[in-house]
Amino acid sequence: MLTLAHVSDTHIGGSPDSVERTRAVMRHLDGLPGPLDAVIVTGDVADHGTVEEYETARELLASRHPTVMCPGNHDTRAAFRKVLLGQDGGGDDPVDQVLRLDGLTVALCDSSVPGRPEGFLSDGTLAWLDAVLAEDPDTPALVGMHHPPVSLGIPYVDEIRLRAPERLAEVLRRHPRVTAVLTGHAHTAASTTFAGLPLLVAPGVVSTLLLPQESPAAEPVDYGFPPQISIHVLADGRLTTHTRPVVTHPAG
Ligand SMILES: [Fe+2]
């Protein structure tokens, strides 16, 4: 059995309490009595993508657990790569990342498009994913990225979802080892399907996006809910997802 925390949309440098909320989440994960097999971060780590925001994020996201992360539309590839990953060079190339655990591969694709809010997976990223998934066909794999490839019922974020999702579906269908697709971007714990697979959207650390039935606002962003995370449990080739709010001011 493998247990993975899924953290998304910390937006460091965005709302005033983005730092405090992210710190609370990471403190919670590091303080768990049992170890996690990994922490997966699906983008929008920083709000403006500045070096200073990533320096703060690097400290906040430091964990005793193996961590893998990809950019979102608020991130900037060069600063993300240099500050968070400690890698020089690469410039504006996609930041695709893989974490190979004993019994699971986590492949995170860079779905960001520099300067744009919507998502797209480049030919290079899809070829990279195809090659990673071809490596070890008998080991389960999770494929993650920032942008959900389908609508979720929140127009504000549906308008900036992943473009040309059929390009991703085509790759996923070639690899039966893929167990689920993980995304962020929507700031709402949502579960749906894509390409015949479970699609699990992480809640937002910095805020929660509401359905039209919950809020008439054009930008239905709620800061009243606590930061939330998902915890995925992989057992018998099946993923089960638990969602947890995290208290930002523990009593005492
Ligand atoms: Fe986003």
Side-chain angles (χ1 to χ4, degrees), residues 9 11 44 72-74 146-147 185 187:
D9 295 85
H11 287 263
D44 280 359
N73 52 298
H74 281 256
H146 182 67
H147 296 79
H185 192 48
H187 300 219

Side-chain angles (χ1 to χ4, degrees), residues 72-73 75-77 92-94 110-118 120:
N73 52 298
D75 291 304
T76 53
R77 289 171 169 175
D92 265 347
D93 291 346
D110 185 346
S111 61
S112 72
V113 181
R116 301 290 311 166
E118 72 274 15
F120 181 74

Side-chain angles (χ1 to χ4, degrees), residues 110-150:
D110 185 346
S111 61
S112 72
V113 181
R116 301 290 311 166
E118 72 274 15
F120 181 74
L121 297 171
S122 69
D123 289 348
T125 289
L126 289 170
W128 171 85
L129 178 63
D130 203 25
V132 167
L133 294 175
E135 276 171 19
D136 191 0
D138 296 327
T139 300
L142 298 175
V143 172
M145 65 208 69
H146 182 67
H147 296 79
V150 298

